[in-house]
Amino acid sequence: MPGAIHAEGLVKTFGDVRALDGVDLDVPEGTVLGLLGPNGAGKTTTVRVLTTLIRPDSGSARVAGIDVLKHPNEVRRSIGLSGQFAAVDEYLTGRENLQMVGQLYQMSRRDAKARAVELLERFHLADAADRPAKTYSGGMRRRLDLAAALVVSPPVMFMDEPTTGLDPRNRQQLWDVIQELVGAGTTLLLTTQYLEEADHLADDICVVDHGRVIARGTSDELKARTGGERVEVVVHRPDEIEPAREVLAGRGKGEVAVVRHTRKLTVPVTGGAKLLAEVIRDLDARGVEIDDIGLRRPTLDDVFISLTGHAAESAAADDEASDAPGKESAA
C-alpha cells in the first residue's frame, strides 16, 4: 500500500531549469523522510508540488491518501507546512497569529484561543505571547511559524529546511518538537541541507541532486555504500608515509588514500577496534611515529560527496536567480 506521502515520476520545469526530473517518493505513515540535497537540488519544488502550491508538468502524487492534483483543497485540510521562511504576520502578537490561523481553519474562537495557549507553551513562547512578532528573534519567529503549522494537528507535515539559520540551542529545541510530533503518529517530510539533521531525525533518507533521487535508504545503509569504517593515521614525518601506507594496505580493504602535505593516510577496514589495535602494533614494529590515529564511520557528508562529487552545502550557479522575487524557485 502507498504511504502517507506517495509520488511517482514528478517533473517540473521553470524555463530552462528542470527542477524535478522524475522524482519518486514513498513515506510510510508515522515516519520521517529526510530529503537531503544542496540548494537547487529540487527539494523545495518537491514540497511545493506535494502541498498543492504548484502543479507538476507530469507525474502523480497522493498525500494522506488524497490525489494532489484532483483534490487539492482536501489535501490542504490534511497537512501542515513550515516553509523556509517564517510566514507570520509581524504586526500581530504571537497569540494573535495562532488564533488567526485557528479561525481560518474554522475553529471556534474559544478553541482557537485554547490551542494558541497550548502551542505557545509548547514552543517556549509564552513569555512573548503578547508581543508583536516583529520584535521576535529569528529563532522565535521560526518556532511561531512551526506552531502555526500545527494549530489543527495535521496527520502529515512538511518542513522545508526548518532549522536554517538557527543557533544550536534553537535547532535542538525544534528537533525535540519534531520527535514529539512523530512519536504521536505524524508523518513528516523534512528537507534539509544539514547532514547531521537528517542523520538525527530521519527514518529514511532520499539524496536529491539536479532534480533526481540519486540514492535512498536508512542513514546506516547509505553510509555503508562508502565502504564502512576507516582507519585514519597522521604520521610524524613525511618519510614515514610510505611504510605507513604499506601497513595500511596490508590491513585494509581498499585503496589507501594519502594526503602528503598533512601526512594523513586513510583506508577502509573491517574489524573495528581489534583491527585498529593490530594496525598500531604493525606501525610500531615498523618504527613509524604517529601523531594521530583513529577509527571512524563514514558520515553523511562522505556519502553525499561520494554520490554527487560535491558537498551538500554547495549551491547551484543559478540559485540566486531562481529565488528572485516574482519567480518560482527551483531550490
Side-chain angles (χ1 to χ4, degrees), residues 14-288:
F14 299 104
D16 296 332
V17 178
R18 198 171 180 88
L20 300 182
D21 192 14
V23 169
D24 298 332
L25 296 173
D26 192 70
V27 189
E29 186 175 345
T31 66
V32 180
L33 175 70
L35 209 56
L36 179 64
N39 291 332
K43 305 185 306 294
T44 295
T45 303
T46 300
V47 169
R48 289 179 174 177
V49 168
L50 294 172
T51 56
T52 77
L53 296 177
I54 58 175
R55 292 177 64 89
D57 299 331
S58 61
S60 62
R62 301 180 73 86
V63 174
I66 306 165
D67 191 294
V68 169
L69 299 179
K70 294 179 179 177
H71 306 291
N73 289 335
E74 292 182 29
V75 170
R76 291 168 193 157
R77 286 191 285 268
S78 302
I79 65 173
L81 169 63
S82 179
Q84 288 186 20
F85 305 100
V88 299
D89 188 323
E90 63 179 14
Y91 294 102
L92 297 179
T93 66
R95 188 189 310 276
E96 289 167 344
N97 266 283
L98 298 183
Q99 289 178 188
M100 177 184 68
V101 172
Q103 291 183 267
L104 287 173
Y105 275 98
Q106 300 182 339
M107 296 173 67
S108 70
R109 185 181 297 271
R110 179 179 178 179
D111 288 346
K113 285 183 177 181
R115 183 62 172 159
V117 170
E118 178 186 346
L119 289 169
L120 289 165
E121 290 284 351
R122 184 176 188 180
F123 284 86
H124 310 288
L125 293 170
D127 291 344
D130 297 310
R131 282 169 40 195
K134 65 182 179 181
T135 68
Y136 285 15
S137 68
M140 292 169 71
R141 288 189 184 207
R142 210 74 186 90
R143 298 203 302 276
L144 182 61
D145 180 65
L146 182 53
L150 297 174
V151 166
V152 293
S153 301
V156 179
M157 275 289 299
F158 295 87
M159 296 185 184
D160 192 9
E161 301 191 15
T163 62
T164 296
L166 296 187
D167 59 41
R169 178 173 174 271
N170 281 315
R171 184 175 299 168
Q172 184 61 56
Q173 286 180 344
L174 277 184
W175 286 2
D176 292 343
V177 170
I178 289 169
Q179 289 174 318
E180 287 177 18
L181 290 173
V182 177
T186 299
T187 303
L188 173 63
L189 188 149
L190 169 79
T191 78
T192 184
Q193 293 183 69
Y194 296 121
L195 297 141
E196 179 191 6
E197 188 160 87
D199 206 5
H200 187 80
L201 295 174
D203 297 295
D204 287 291
I205 297 169
C206 281
V207 182
V208 183
D209 198 34
H210 294 97
R212 297 182 180 180
V213 175
I214 59 173
R216 68 185 74 201
T218 66
S219 176
D220 286 342
E221 288 169 347
L222 292 177
K223 289 174 184 178
R225 294 179 60 165
T226 66
E229 296 174 320
R230 301 175 184 188
V231 167
E232 291 183 349
V233 179
V234 177
V235 298
H236 186 62
R237 299 189 309 273
D239 63 359
E240 295 173 313
I241 290 176
E242 185 55 30
R245 190 198 65 76
E246 292 173 1
V247 168
L248 294 181
R251 292 291 186 179
K253 297 296 181 181
E255 184 178 351
V256 180
V258 179
V259 183
R260 291 190 175 274
H261 73 278
T262 60
R263 307 181 309 282
K264 180 178 178 180
L265 301 91
T266 307
V267 67
V269 298
T270 58
K274 181 180 179 182
L275 185 281
L276 180 63
E278 293 170 352
V279 169
I280 293 171
R281 284 197 298 269
D282 290 350
L283 291 170
D284 186 58
R286 294 287 299 268
V288 175

